[in-house]
């Protein structure tokens, strides 16, 4: 009986994850670094895959991930035509730190701000860094929390797979 319950729960969790993985981005209002409002559900890349990294300026693993991606981002763009959005969850008092950080690092990413963490909550994300890959139709095809050296390779694998569809 316990085994049956365990299998049911594992199956249910797999079904929930599979459903979430094919979900559209939620309609949440974000801002760009110039203060313009952007609806997250409208993020796109002209029919090509794109990635999103939720981060914070104070998060060391987030910064390591973004630096690692920056090293290979031009190659990823050449290969797949992908675009990278980074969405800061820094609170309203600290959003003024985001643009100087991005500029000082020379990052070529599209930068958005989620000062109230509404986007993060709408996705059910608990912690940063959190990476998402969307296919050319804006459907989430990959989602992962945390960062260890080299795990950015999982992002490009998901982008490559989405680019083939």
């Amino acid at each position: 009986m316990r085994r049956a319950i365990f299998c049911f729960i594992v199956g249910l969790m797999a079904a929930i994850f599979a459903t979430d993985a094919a979900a559209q981005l939620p309609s949440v209002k974000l801002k760009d670094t110039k203060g313009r409002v952007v609806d997250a559900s409208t993020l796109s890349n002209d029919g090509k895959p794109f990635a999103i990294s939720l981060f914070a300026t104070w998060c060391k693993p987030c910064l390591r991930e973004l630096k690692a991606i920056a090293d290979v981002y031009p190659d990823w763009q050449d290969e797949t035509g992908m675009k990278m959005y980074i969405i800061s969850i820094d609170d309203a008092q600290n959003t003024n730190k985001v643009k100087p950080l991005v500029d000082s690092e020379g990052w070529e990413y599209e930068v958005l701000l989620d000062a109230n963490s509404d986007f993060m909550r709408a996705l059910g994300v608990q912690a940063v860094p959190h990476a998402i890959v969307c296919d050319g139709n804006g459907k989430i095809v990959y989602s992962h929390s945390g960062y260890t050296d080299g795990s950015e390779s999982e992002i490009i694998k998901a982008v490559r797979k989405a680019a083939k569809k």
Side-chain angles (χ1 to χ4, degrees), residues 12-23:
L12 182 62
M13 289 174 66
I16 290 169
F17 179 78
T19 301
D20 285 347

Side-chain angles (χ1 to χ4, degrees), residues 39-57:
D39 188 324
S41 67
T42 66
L43 297 179
S44 67
N45 185 25
D46 297 323
K48 297 176 197 145
F50 60 94
I52 298 170
S53 179
L54 289 157
F55 80 105
T57 58

Side-chain angles (χ1 to χ4, degrees), residues 5 22 80 91:
I5 292 171
T80 65
D91 62 22

Side-chain angles (χ1 to χ4, degrees), residues 43-120:
L43 297 179
S44 67
N45 185 25
D46 297 323
K48 297 176 197 145
F50 60 94
I52 298 170
S53 179
L54 289 157
F55 80 105
T57 58
W58 46 261
C59 170
K60 299 299 182 203
C62 299
L63 302 180
R64 283 194 351 256
E65 177 181 57
L66 293 174
K67 286 177 184 181
I69 293 170
D71 290 342
V72 293
Y73 186 48
D75 296 333
W76 290 5
Q77 287 181 301
D78 289 344
E79 179 186 346
T80 65
M82 73 164 298
K83 179 189 278 189
M84 184 81 180
Y85 291 93
I86 60 173
I87 301 177
S88 167
I89 64 155
D90 285 275
D91 62 22
Q93 293 178 346
N94 291 306
T95 57
N96 61 337
K97 296 177 182 177
V98 176
K99 187 170 177 2
L101 170 70
V102 171
D103 291 346
S104 72
E105 293 293 340
W107 292 336
E108 301 283 326
Y109 309 132
E110 298 282 331
V111 182
L112 299 169
L113 309 171
D114 184 24
N116 295 322
S117 297
D118 295 332
F119 183 67
M120 189 170 148

